[in-house]
Amino acid sequence: MRLDRNGLGQMLLCAARRLSENADRLSEIDSRFGDGDHGITMNKIARLIEEQVLSWGERPIAVFLDDLGMAAMEVKGGSAGPLYGTMISGLGMRLGEEESELDGDSVRRMFAGCLAEMEEITTAKVGDKTMMDALIPAAEAVREAGSDADVKALFTAAAEAAEDGAKASEGFVSKYGRARSYKEQTIGTPDAGAVSTALFLRGLADGL
């Protein structure tokens, strides 16, 4: 299958719904060792995604993703705006400006570009209890998928890996942000950023 602008727009709308529906849960997780506002911020980003998709117009996919990411960076609410803005912009970083339909190769480039952009702004790795606990496994799952994997299979593999990564973050000690001061007390609670990343990627996969 090939993915056009309309199809990607529906995926983003589905991802936005997932974030909005789980806003209270995300804030509850964040409240245990953080500021408790992650769900509020993710709801703002979800609303932004909805607004931007509805006003997509004729912009190429790469341009739209960059515009959306730049807008998300301006969302107030701690580091979530800049981090999610970078992640979203990164999805379009390795797409051609005139690439109007996406195939399996395009999706592989999307996740490779996304991870590369995130690694430019954070040194967090798997095990540090951040959103990278979900994003890194997702990107690796896409990279390691068989050459015959299509768009649907690749996004599904990314979502499943991200969900496993978010679940695994329960067993880690927080090393970033306010939560790091709680050290071993954070074991048993997933990272809110990892959970929201998994929700975002699951929404993209289910929107196909």
Side-chain angles (χ1 to χ4, degrees), residues 176-197:
Y176 284 81
R178 181 177 174 181
R180 66 182 176 182
S181 63
Y182 290 89
K183 300 179 181 179
E184 285 76 13
Q185 295 178 56
T186 60
I187 295 175
T189 297
D191 178 69
V195 174
S196 61
T197 300

Side-chain angles (χ1 to χ4, degrees), residues 45-56:
I45 292 174
R47 294 287 175 257
L48 175 66
I49 291 172
E50 293 170 350
E51 293 168 3
Q52 292 286 322
V53 168
L54 293 176
S55 61
W56 188 319

Side-chain angles (χ1 to χ4, degrees), residues 123-166:
T123 58
K125 302 296 183 185
V126 170
D128 290 340
K129 211 177 185 85
T130 71
M131 65 187 293
M132 299 298 277
D133 285 308
L135 183 60
I136 291 174
E140 290 178 343
V142 170
R143 185 179 67 242
E144 295 168 3
S147 59
D148 59 339
D150 63 7
V151 170
K152 176 69 173 179
L154 291 172
F155 274 104
T156 298
E160 291 174 350
E163 289 166 343
D164 289 344

Side-chain angles (χ1 to χ4, degrees), residues 72-127:
M73 289 183 192
E74 300 300 319
V75 172
K76 305 301 182 185
S79 61
L83 287 169
Y84 269 83
T86 300
M87 182 176 74
I88 293 169
S89 288
L91 288 171
M93 193 59 62
R94 296 188 181 179
L95 296 178
E97 274 201 18
E98 300 307 317
E99 206 164 347
S100 59
E101 290 190 332
L102 309 179
D103 57 12
D105 176 66
S106 306
V107 176
R108 293 176 193 276
R109 284 184 280 119
M110 289 176 76
F111 277 90
C114 176
L115 182 57
E117 288 300 300
M118 289 298 294
E119 289 177 336
E120 285 289 322
I121 66 168
T122 178
T123 58
K125 302 296 183 185
V126 170

